[in-house]
Amino acid sequence: MAHRGCSLALIFIIMWLLIKAKIDECRRGDVTVKPSRVILLGSTVNISCTLKPRQGCLNNSRHNKLILYKFDRRINFHHGHSLNSQVTGLPLGTTLFVCKLACINSDEIQICGAEILVGVAPEQPQNLSCIQKGEQGTVACTWDRGRDTHLYTEYTLQLSGPKNLTWQKQCKDHYCDYLDFGINLTPESPESSFTAKVTAVNSLGSSSSFPSTFTFLDIVRPLPPWDIRISFQKASVSRCTLYWRDEGLVLLNRLRYRPNNSRLWNMVNVTKAKGRHDLLDLKPFTEYEFQISSKLHLFKGSWSDWSESLRAQTPEEEPTGMLDVWYVKRHLDYSRQQISLLWKNLSVSEARGKILHYEVILQELTGGKAMIQNITGHTFWSTVIPRTGNWTVAVSAANSKGSSRPTRVNITNLCGAGLLAPRPVSAYSEGKDGIRVIWQPPRKAPSAVQEYVVEWRELHPKGDTQVPLNWLRSPPYNVSALISENVKPYICYEIHVYALSGYQGGCTSTLGNSKHEAPRSGPHVNAITEEKGSVLISWNSIPVQEQMGCLLHYRIYWKERDSNSQPQFCEIPYRVSQNSHPINSLQPRVTYVLWMTALTAAGESSPGNEREICLQGEDTAALGQAPDRLAHS
């Protein structure tokens, strides 16, 4: 009880302080505004400031100087007991005016003030629409309220229904554009009409929307379907059923689904689905996203929001397509050869599941008895077989549902038939990182060619067989191919074109690069040896990363030491295995300076290291004992 008494006393004190502050604020005078403190944009107002008796300056009323401020800017003043000012052009919103008194030798004293609110009458609300979310939801309406009134505005939403039923809701916020009646329309009379209208009112006017008439079926938006699941009968993608749950009155559904890596949806509309639908066009072993939406009527109302996504992977199916198989032969001795088989992965659409292993069968056809079988998880396999007989290989890919059709390849001498060799073969840069390979059909047997195979691998001076091998196939009527996969710029590739016909094959090779520059360095001369009046120059190969493309030539330069004459040179066609070359034109007992460069199609490298050489004539035995007299770094 004591606590309640303290609360009442506190409220009384606060109210008294507020009243006293209001009295003190204008105790010396008043400010009046005509025609009103709330005006229409563009209107003119008269502001008057009047002193109360005996509230002016003490000496003389003529010393009273009344000043009118608009916010903190002085806009008018007058000597006497009152001041009148006409104000125009006020902006939208609230403007504060303050009247102050200035006496001689004293600070300005605030007399009173007034806030003037400038606004507009509400515009007619537009686009009134109402919705009930779900059969158990409540009716809520939205509208476009038009431009801001900048004034306190009250919105009243009214709903009229059958049997003179009326519901009404208000909001007193001038930003109001949404109200929920809190009532639920039921489906007992789905065709009964309801009419909604919204009215906006402020001190400058009022305006009402056009009435919006609707039925239960028009405004009830079903809830999104839920509990979505998918079933694959007998783990088969061709027997797929999508299940979900819906509200009871739903008549129409639309389904959309897509692979996870696609932006495009497949759409299906179904009527009276009762929470299930069979999908017949799904791809095996593919991650899909599924969504469902619902509607109460074929022509009336609106679709529900899309359901939450269901993501599921379809089952595997037996692989389709055939592997692309290639091989490399290497003679081990007079009776044995190594066969290295390679194949490319099936595409996702061909594999139709996770490839578990590959089945390889190698068989000799002449005797029909020799057979080698193997299962591997890699995309390559090697074995050793006799060099005699006609051998064929069959390779297939297997997943959990079965195996692909085997690819059969005849093992033949790929370059054994000279009449089948394509001639000539050339390679050019094309596009950003491509190599265009061009050839002519074999001169004597063009009709015998069944297909061409273009093979490429990085060129390594030591003939490294571990360098990855790439290939592509071309039909017999094509005489060019674009190499665009597994190609690096500024790298030289050894390219073979094979023409295949049954157990015969012919081949031609060339070098090519997608981009080239002049080499970054010249060869390093590592030895100079005199042999029978000539000099043998030996060098180290330029590192692959400094060759900057396919090398075309080496140049060996020499000139007499301390001579200003132009050097002589000899040009040597580039061959992978070559690392020495003789020179016969040097004079005995003359000291020469010697160096080397390398050339690509783009230009010549900078010189390699310099070596000095002085031939000793016929005294080769002495040279052999004292090689430091022959060459100095």
Side-chain angles (χ1 to χ4, degrees):
M1 192 71 179
H3 177 74
R4 183 179 178 186
C6 291
S7 299
L8 291 173
L10 180 61
I11 292 171
F12 175 79
I13 292 171
I14 293 173
M15 293 298 294
W16 181 81
L17 289 173
L18 291 174
I19 294 169
K20 184 177 186 302
K22 181 67 176 176
I23 293 171
D24 289 345
E25 181 185 355
C26 291
R27 65 183 181 84
R28 292 179 175 273
D30 295 304
V31 171
T32 58
V33 179
K34 292 182 179 181
S36 170
R37 294 196 179 196
V38 180
I39 62 172
L40 184 66
L41 178 65
S43 299
T44 299
V45 292
N46 291 305
I47 303 174
S48 300
C49 177
T50 306
L51 289 172
K52 293 180 180 179
R54 296 186 296 278
Q55 295 300 322
C57 300
L58 296 177
N59 298 329
N60 193 320
S61 64
R62 288 179 300 175
H63 295 160
N64 296 336
K65 182 179 180 181
L66 293 174
I67 307 169
L68 184 63
Y69 285 88
K70 178 182 176 182
F71 291 114
D72 57 353
R73 183 171 65 87
R74 181 185 296 190
I75 62 171
N76 200 359
F77 68 91
H78 183 72
H79 292 276
H81 283 85
S82 64
L83 176 150
N84 293 305
S85 184
Q86 188 177 73
V87 179
T88 60
L90 293 179
L92 287 168
T94 301
T95 303
L96 175 64
F97 292 89
V98 176
C99 181
K100 294 184 179 181
L101 173 64
C103 298
I104 297 174
N105 299 325
S106 66
D107 294 335
E108 293 180 356
I109 303 169
Q110 182 168 314
I111 303 300
C112 194
E115 287 183 339
I116 298 178
L117 280 66
V118 180
V120 293
E123 292 184 334
Q124 182 185 41
Q126 302 288 329
N127 302 321
L128 174 63
S129 64
C130 300
I131 192 172
Q132 177 176 304
K133 291 187 177 181
E135 297 173 16
Q136 305 302 318
T138 56
V139 178
C141 300
T142 61
W143 59 90
D144 296 335
R145 50 186 171 80
R147 63 176 178 175
D148 191 356
T149 65
H150 295 272
L151 299 175
Y152 168 83
T153 304
E154 183 176 278
Y155 290 86
T156 302
L157 180 64
Q158 182 175 303
L159 179 64
S160 302
K163 301 178 182 179
N164 295 323
L165 291 175
T166 300
W167 298 268
Q168 189 169 289
K169 266 295 184 72
Q170 289 182 331
C171 65
K172 300 180 179 181
D173 177 3
H174 64 279
Y175 293 111
C176 179
D177 56 10
Y178 169 86
L179 276 172
D180 191 328
F181 280 110
I183 63 168
N184 169 257
L185 301 187
T186 58
E188 281 79 5
S189 301
E191 299 297 333
S192 297
S193 292
F194 297 83
T195 300
K197 184 175 71 171
V198 62
T199 301
V201 179
N202 66 17
S203 56
L204 297 179
S206 65
S207 185
S208 296
S209 68
F210 291 116
S212 174
T213 301
F214 49 81
T215 66
F216 171 85
L217 293 175
D218 290 325
I219 72 161
V220 175
R221 175 183 292 177
L223 295 177
W226 66 95
D227 193 18
I228 303 172
R229 58 197 188 281
I230 195 167
S231 172
F232 299 96
Q233 297 180 37
K234 297 184 179 180
S236 173
V237 71
S238 62
R239 298 183 178 183
C240 168
T241 303
L242 195 64
Y243 296 92
W244 67 91
R245 294 178 64 189
D246 251 330
E247 292 190 289
L249 296 178
V250 167
L251 179 66
L252 186 64
N253 291 102
R254 58 180 179 179
L255 288 64
R256 68 180 186 182
Y257 55 97
R258 64 181 176 185
N260 273 1
N261 60 358
S262 173
R263 293 184 177 182
L264 300 177
W265 292 94
N266 299 296
M267 299 287 294
V268 178
N269 285 349
V270 292
T271 306
K272 298 181 180 178
K274 302 299 183 183
R276 61 166 290 164
H277 182 70
D278 296 330
L279 295 172
L280 306 177
D281 61 345
L282 300 184
K283 298 176 182 178
F285 199 60
T286 302
E287 187 84 18
Y288 277 94
E289 178 183 6
F290 302 88
Q291 286 186 316
I292 309 173
S293 179
S294 303
K295 198 164 177 270
L296 299 186
H297 194 274
L298 291 175
F299 312 111
K300 296 183 177 182
S302 57
W303 287 99
S304 73
D305 294 332
W306 288 104
S307 66
E308 292 186 1
S309 291
L310 169 69
R311 287 179 168 83
Q313 187 177 64
T314 55
E316 294 187 1
E317 293 289 340
E318 188 177 73
T320 60
M322 299 172 65
L323 292 166
D324 185 356
V325 181
W326 190 233
Y327 64 96
V328 176
K329 291 175 57 174
R330 187 165 67 93
H331 291 167
L332 300 179
D333 52 39
Y334 69 93
S335 63
R336 297 181 307 147
Q337 60 183 342
Q338 183 184 54
I339 304 298
S340 298
L341 298 170
L342 307 99
W343 52 90
K344 298 178 182 179
N345 289 319
L346 293 174
S347 66
V348 173
S349 61
E350 292 174 327
R352 306 209 303 175
K354 181 180 179 181
I355 298 301
L356 302 176
H357 60 261
Y358 298 93
E359 301 166 356
V360 183
I361 299 176
L362 187 63
Q363 186 174 12
E364 201 282 313
L365 298 180
T366 306
K369 293 182 179 180
M371 180 182 293
I372 302 173
Q373 290 183 281
N374 188 270
I375 292 178
T376 178
H378 304 291
T379 56
F380 55 87
W381 180 70
S382 295
T383 190
V384 177
I385 61 174
R387 292 178 60 177
T388 59
N390 293 328
W391 292 85
T392 185
V393 65
V395 186
S396 58
N399 64 16
S400 64
K401 291 296 186 72
S403 299
S404 66
R405 292 169 53 201
T407 298
R408 301 185 186 278
V409 176
N410 296 326
I411 304 299
T412 183
N413 185 350
L414 292 172
C415 298
L419 295 178
L420 284 174
R423 298 183 185 278
V425 175
S426 53
Y428 307 95
S429 301
E430 182 172 312
K432 184 178 180 182
D433 287 312
I435 303 174
R436 172 66 66 179
V437 183
I438 301 174
W439 63 90
Q440 292 296 324
R443 292 192 186 98
K444 296 187 178 182
S447 61
V449 177
Q450 295 172 341
E451 71 170 339
Y452 294 104
V453 174
V454 180
E455 173 192 280
W456 69 97
R457 69 183 349 159
E458 290 185 26
L459 179 66
H460 278 253
K462 296 181 181 179
D464 187 358
T465 59
Q466 301 301 314
V467 177
L469 183 68
N470 306 278
W471 73 94
L472 60 82
R473 298 181 183 274
S474 182
Y477 50 81
N478 277 357
V479 290
S480 73
L482 178 63
I483 299 174
S484 58
E485 295 181 355
N486 302 319
V487 175
K488 305 172 187 175
Y490 310 112
I491 296 294
C492 187
Y493 289 88
E494 184 179 11
I495 301 169
H496 286 84
V497 179
Y498 300 93
L500 304 182
S501 177
Y503 278 93
Q504 291 185 316
C507 74
T508 307
S509 66
T510 189
L511 301 178
N513 47 239
S514 64
K515 289 183 180 179
H516 53 252
E517 292 179 357
R520 291 181 176 173
S521 64
H524 181 87
V525 179
N526 58 38
I528 301 176
T529 308
E530 184 177 0
E531 294 181 351
K532 297 179 181 180
S534 67
V535 175
L536 184 66
I537 310 298
S538 300
W539 61 86
N540 296 333
S541 298
I542 302 173
V544 173
Q545 66 272 18
E546 295 184 6
Q547 293 180 12
M548 305 307 290
C550 293
L551 298 181
L552 302 179
H553 303 282
Y554 288 130
R555 283 181 181 173
I556 302 176
Y557 288 87
W558 66 89
K559 69 174 185 176
E560 294 182 19
R561 187 177 61 184
D562 302 326
S563 170
N564 294 325
S565 62
Q566 290 294 321
Q568 301 180 61
F569 71 88
C570 68
E571 192 167 83
I572 312 161
Y574 172 77
R575 290 195 296 273
V576 175
S577 59
Q578 184 177 9
N579 62 357
S580 62
H581 186 76
I583 298 178
N584 303 314
S585 56
L586 301 185
Q587 301 296 320
R589 295 180 177 84
V590 176
T591 301
Y592 293 92
V593 178
L594 181 147
W595 67 91
M596 290 185 67
T597 64
L599 292 90
T600 65
E604 186 175 9
S605 73
S606 57
N609 65 314
E610 291 186 352
R611 298 287 295 261
E612 289 187 359
I613 176 173
C614 181
L615 296 183
Q616 301 303 308
E618 298 177 357
D619 191 11
T620 56
L623 288 173
Q625 294 173 0
D628 58 322
R629 293 172 54 201
L630 178 68
H632 303 276
S633 297

